[in-house]
Amino acid sequence: MAPHGKELSEDLKKRIVALHKDGLGYKKIAKTLKLSCSTVAKTIQRFNRTGSTQNRPRHGRPKKLSARAQRHIQRLSLGNRRMSSASIAAEVEGVGGQPVSAQTIRRTLHQIGLHGCRPRRKPLLKMMHKKARKQFAEDKQTKDVDYWNHVLWSDETKINLFGSNGVKRVWWQPGEEYKDKCVLPTVKHGGGSVMVWGCMSAAGTGELQFIEGTMNANMYCDILKQSMIPSLRRLGRRAVFQHDNNPKHTSKTTTALLKKLRVKVMDWPSMSPDLNPIEHLWGILKRKVEECKVSNIHQLRDVVMEEWKRTPVATCEALVNSMPKRVKAVLENDGGHTKY
């Protein structure tokens, strides 16, 4: 069947009329040409009424760009995804000599399914990173949920007093842009923030520790002894500790401590926050903290700790249960970025 709304070619319309003149009915013509009966009927009725198979003249402005120019625009945009519509317009005008507006370029790109969007922020992956990520995924693709349930995930993050550094959007009507509800409050020097180290597993959140000053390998080792070990022991003998390849984590001091404490450490591919479920837990925590409207650092610390402890076990369990899908996504993308 022809797609709804697709215009028939002149040759096809003439074939319909010819078959009808040969004595075939609407249904037989439709079956022969793989068209709907209504399409056949309308074509024959138009011919009987006007004596022609051609469509009546249409009203409206003809397209400014030829099919060739549209294909050129598509090649430019796909060849350089960061090329602006104004730059594409200048390129098209330089080649064809025909002035084209940026709006026309955007409209043309929309028609072929390309839309300007804010790019996802992801770590820069070099070839060695992709190879390491793919190797990790290949090694872990047969692991079931029970294996991941015995992993203690860890990471550090910064929590700002006045919300995240990300782009915010608000809805306003004309003239409302300076109302209190429509502005994003700012303070000098950012208003302050806290750095925290935390860990989690499928059994729930583990210890959370505030980091004072700049953390070095010695401070990290203190955190491991005071906060990581108690959380790890609750997972039993099969427990595996995960941390990324931050220099503090891979230093000789840290490596020697983990070996002394007989901690099984997961080999981790660099530049892989999408494989660590605690990254999503940080996002949940920050949104909860932002809803509390804290006004100073002391309140911020209290709220962070309170919201961390209130995190439902089901939330942590769901994040950890996504690990097989994360691993699969890395394999499908040949070690590249995933949606996580």
Side-chain angles (χ1 to χ4, degrees), residues 41-319:
K42 288 178 181 179
T43 302
I44 294 171
Q45 289 166 7
R46 184 187 298 116
F47 178 79
N48 292 336
R49 187 171 59 252
T50 64
S52 172
T53 57
Q54 293 184 352
N55 293 328
R56 289 177 294 178
R58 291 186 173 89
H59 298 288
R61 181 179 176 182
K63 288 186 176 181
K64 187 170 187 178
L65 296 172
S66 64
R68 182 178 180 182
Q70 292 179 20
R71 290 194 298 271
H72 182 51
I73 292 170
Q74 184 175 8
R75 285 195 299 271
L76 288 173
S77 59
L78 293 177
N80 183 0
R81 298 298 182 117
R82 292 180 173 83
M83 196 173 187
S84 67
S85 55
S87 299
I88 295 176
E91 179 78 16
V92 171
E93 183 175 349
V95 173
Q98 182 183 23
V100 182
S101 69
Q103 179 61 42
T104 299
I105 298 297
R106 288 192 290 271
R107 191 182 301 113
T108 302
L109 293 175
H110 292 169
Q111 290 171 355
I112 60 178
L114 292 172
H115 301 271
C117 305
R118 182 175 289 110
R120 300 287 189 265
R121 304 182 75 88
K122 290 286 188 177
L124 176 63
L125 292 179
K126 298 180 181 179
M127 186 55 65
M128 63 178 182
H129 298 137
K130 292 182 179 181
K131 288 180 65 176
R133 285 164 55 83
K134 185 177 180 180
Q135 185 62 56
F136 174 87
E138 289 174 348
D139 294 342
K140 304 297 183 185
Q141 63 180 327
T142 58
K143 302 295 185 183
D144 57 14
V145 174
D146 186 59
Y147 168 82
W148 299 112
N149 286 347
H150 288 84
V151 176
L152 184 69
W153 308 91
S154 72
D155 193 28
E156 300 91 13
T157 193
K158 182 176 77 168
I159 302 177
N160 295 322
L161 181 60
F162 283 93
S164 71
N165 294 322
V167 176
K168 298 289 184 181
R169 293 182 181 273
V170 295
W171 298 101
W172 70 45
Q173 293 177 334
E176 291 187 329
E177 55 265 39
Y178 295 110
K179 286 191 173 184
D180 290 345
K181 293 182 179 180
C182 298
V183 300
L184 185 65
T186 62
V187 296
K188 287 185 177 181
H189 314 299
S193 61
V194 294
M195 282 291 298
V196 296
W197 175 93
C199 59
M200 62 157 283
S201 69
T205 55
E207 300 293 324
L208 185 77
Q209 179 122 357
F210 291 97
I211 301 170
E212 304 294 345
T214 303
M215 185 167 69
N216 55 28
N218 292 328
M219 187 185 298
Y220 184 61
C221 286
D222 291 338
I223 291 175
L224 294 180
K225 289 184 285 187
Q226 297 169 15
S227 302
M228 186 275 287
I229 292 299
S231 300
L232 190 71
R233 285 175 177 168
R234 287 196 284 269
L235 295 179
R237 293 183 178 181
R238 295 173 58 194
V240 179
F241 176 57
Q242 178 278 335
H243 60 178
D244 60 28
N245 296 318
N246 185 293
K248 297 181 287 292
H249 303 171
T250 57
S251 67
K252 291 182 180 180
T253 304
T254 303
T255 303
L257 174 67
L258 292 172
K259 186 176 181 180
K260 179 181 177 182
L261 296 174
R262 296 183 180 180
V263 174
K264 287 186 285 187
V265 181
M266 181 183 295
D267 290 331
W268 191 252
S270 299
M271 313 298 282
S272 300
D274 55 338
L275 284 169
N276 192 348
I278 200 173
E279 293 285 351
H280 289 79
L281 190 59
W282 289 141
I284 295 171
L285 176 65
K286 290 175 183 179
R287 288 191 291 273
K288 291 290 185 182
V289 171
E290 193 171 348
E291 292 173 0
C292 293
K293 311 293 184 185
V294 296
S295 58
N296 58 62
I297 292 296
H298 297 295
Q299 289 182 1
L300 179 61
R301 291 170 66 99
D302 292 341
V303 169
V304 167
M305 184 60 74
E306 181 181 346
E307 291 296 337
W308 177 258
K309 291 179 178 178
R310 288 172 57 183
T311 302
V313 173
T315 299
C316 299
E317 187 177 13
L319 290 173

Side-chain angles (χ1 to χ4, degrees), residues 4-49:
H4 177 72
K6 184 177 180 180
E7 185 174 320
L8 301 181
S9 67
E10 281 300 312
D11 289 341
L12 186 56
K13 286 186 281 187
K14 288 178 181 178
R15 287 182 63 193
I16 293 173
V17 173
L19 290 173
H20 184 62
K21 287 182 177 180
D22 290 342
L24 271 68
Y26 292 171
K27 288 185 178 181
K28 287 188 176 181
I29 296 173
K31 186 176 181 180
T32 302
L33 300 179
K34 296 181 179 180
L35 298 170
S36 67
C37 285
S38 60
T39 299
V40 172
K42 288 178 181 179
T43 302
I44 294 171
Q45 289 166 7
R46 184 187 298 116
F47 178 79
N48 292 336
R49 187 171 59 252

